[in-house]
Structures are given as structure tokens and as C-alpha cells.
Amino acid sequence: AQKITQTQPGMFVQEKEAVTLDCTYDTSDPSYGLFWYKQPSSGEMIFLIYQGSYDQQNATEGRYSLNFQKARKSANLVISASQLGDSAMYFCAMSRSNDYKLSFGAGTTVTVRA
Amino acid sequence: SQTIHQWPATLVQPVGSPLSLECTVEGTSNPNLYWYRQAAGRGLQLLFYSVGIGQISSEVPQNLSASRPQDRQFILSSKKLLLSDSGFYLCAWSVGTGKRRYGYTFGSGTRLTVV
């Protein structure tokens, strides 16, 4: 079974600073995908970034980057230049390449302070 | 472009009443469809998924059931709601297996409160 662990239940960050959200995963499959989603208070799930297990480079999408350390089974999300609109819950998720299911971590609540 | 519709947005139901939540996808064919539930302040738990019409896989034994009567329609049901069924229900779709960028798209969710 695959397991995703997010150890930070909540974080505060100052506006314009960077923040790193931790995510570790456990799988024996060699091929898998890692996702980060943002969930604001409205409840919608917003896709942020994706990393494939065979991707050679760390994924980046605007202010979001994924620090992928495959040997450590770690996929931390870095948000640069935090904005007040970044305040939300963030979820790490994983799927296997031969599977249809997306499994989620418990999430990390980020609060950006002005 | 592909869109996913989920309704209603909020629902308050008495214990013991039936439930029907509907999700439809537009702009794609043969999507994989999913129902997730999220308790307050918690992560998402996969309840059901479907890879085709009439094909339903259940992840968690519970008071709920799912059906897929049409290719792009996914329904979550209960004959008698329990208090523990309260939560935020999200429908999602994907195409193919999980190793795809932008692979999963979520609906806007239904907040269900059982009273």
C-alpha cells in the first residue's frame, strides 16, 4: 500500500518569503507520480505541480517548485515570494503508473501574514 | 475544454434520509471517475472509483454506494444517512492511469451535513 506523510499540520509565513512544505511517501513501485494541490477555504482542489518518478529534473510551475529527492522518497513543495492569496491547505498526493487511484496526505495549512 | 460539474454545493439532511449526489464530466470520453470524502481539516479519502460504465470499485466499506449509469455521469448514494456521513464530498476525473501531468481534475464539492 502507498502512504503519503505530511508532518506539518500548520505553518505561518511572512508575505514575500519562501516556504517549504514537507512530503514523504512510501511505495515499492518504480513508476509513480507525485502531485501537489492547493485547497482554499472555498474547498476547491487546485492542481499546482506534478513530478514523475522518472523525471530527471525537479518540476517548476511559476512560484511553485518541487524538491524531489527520490532516494529519500521526499517531494517537498517550495512556494517562493509568498502572497496573501497563498493562505490555504496544501496536499501532497501520489498515484502509481499502473493504478487509477490518487492517494493524499493529511495536508498542511499555510497562513501568510502581511 | 473539459469541465466537471458537481451538485448540490451544500446539503443538510436528517439522519435516516436518502442521499444522491451527482457528478458529470464534459469534453472527454471514457474518463476514470472518483468520489472522495474529506472530514473537516483532514485529507481526502477515496471512496469509489470507476473506469467504465457499470464498473465500480469500493475502497472503504461504508453506508454509501456509487453508480455510473452513463459514461460521464457518476452518482453517490445512500439509502439511510448516518451522522458519520457528514463531510465534504469531491468528485474527480482522470484519463488513463496516474502517471500523467494534470491527470486529476476535481469538482467544486458538496458539503453534506447530516443532522
Side-chain angles (χ1 to χ4, degrees):
Chain A
Q2 46 191 0
K3 184 179 178 182
I4 299 94
T5 302
Q6 294 180 255
T7 58
Q8 306 153 309
M11 297 182 72
F12 291 93
V13 59
Q14 205 64 30
E15 195 178 9
K16 299 182 184 179
E17 292 185 349
V19 61
T20 298
L21 308 183
D22 295 340
C23 174
T24 58
Y25 58 92
D26 185 21
T27 182
S28 57
D29 295 294
S31 182
Y32 51 89
L34 295 159
F35 301 75
W36 277 92
Y37 284 85
K38 173 184 178 181
Q39 187 181 42
S41 56
S42 61
E44 60 182 317
M45 294 292 285
I46 302 169
F47 167 80
L48 295 178
I49 197 166
Y50 167 83
Q51 180 84 42
S53 60
Y54 290 121
D55 291 346
Q56 294 298 312
Q57 293 185 324
N58 287 343
T60 60
E61 291 285 349
R63 294 186 299 109
Y64 304 106
S65 60
L66 201 151
N67 183 5
F68 182 46
Q69 299 187 43
K70 192 171 183 178
R72 298 178 63 181
K73 295 187 176 178
S74 168
N76 298 341
L77 176 71
V78 180
I79 306 174
S80 63
S82 296
Q83 303 172 355
L84 295 177
D86 293 334
S87 294
M89 198 157 187
Y90 289 81
F91 291 98
C92 180
M94 179 174 69
S95 66
R96 295 175 295 184
S97 62
N98 61 348
D99 203 335
Y100 300 100
K101 298 176 283 187
L102 188 64
S103 299
F104 286 82
T108 296
T109 300
V110 172
T111 303
V112 181
R113 291 170 163 161
Chain B
S1 62
Q2 301 93 350
T3 56
I4 179 168
H5 302 280
Q6 188 179 343
W7 67 91
T10 60
L11 193 59
V12 179
Q13 292 284 98
V15 169
S17 64
L19 173 73
S20 180
L21 302 181
E22 189 163 342
C23 173
T24 60
V25 179
E26 296 178 356
T28 187
S29 297
N30 196 30
N32 303 319
L33 296 171
Y34 311 84
W35 278 111
Y36 285 86
R37 178 170 63 196
Q38 183 181 26
R42 305 289 295 274
L44 278 69
Q45 179 187 38
L46 179 62
L47 301 176
F48 301 94
Y49 70 95
S50 170
V51 300
I53 296 175
Q55 301 179 58
I56 308 295
S57 295
S58 175
E59 288 294 296
V60 181
Q62 60 215 311
N63 185 43
L64 302 169
S65 62
S67 62
R68 184 170 178 173
Q70 300 180 42
D71 180 45
R72 289 169 288 179
Q73 184 184 30
F74 205 23
I75 298 172
L76 183 69
S77 304
S78 173
K79 292 182 179 178
K80 289 186 178 182
L81 284 169
L82 306 172
L83 288 174
S84 57
D85 292 324
S86 293
F88 188 54
Y89 289 81
L90 285 154
C91 179
W93 73 271
S94 72
V95 176
T97 54
K99 192 187 169 192
R100 276 178 187 257
R101 183 188 175 109
Y102 305 121
Y104 299 81
T105 304
F106 287 81
S108 54
T110 297
R111 293 196 186 278
L112 171 66
T113 304
V114 182
V115 297

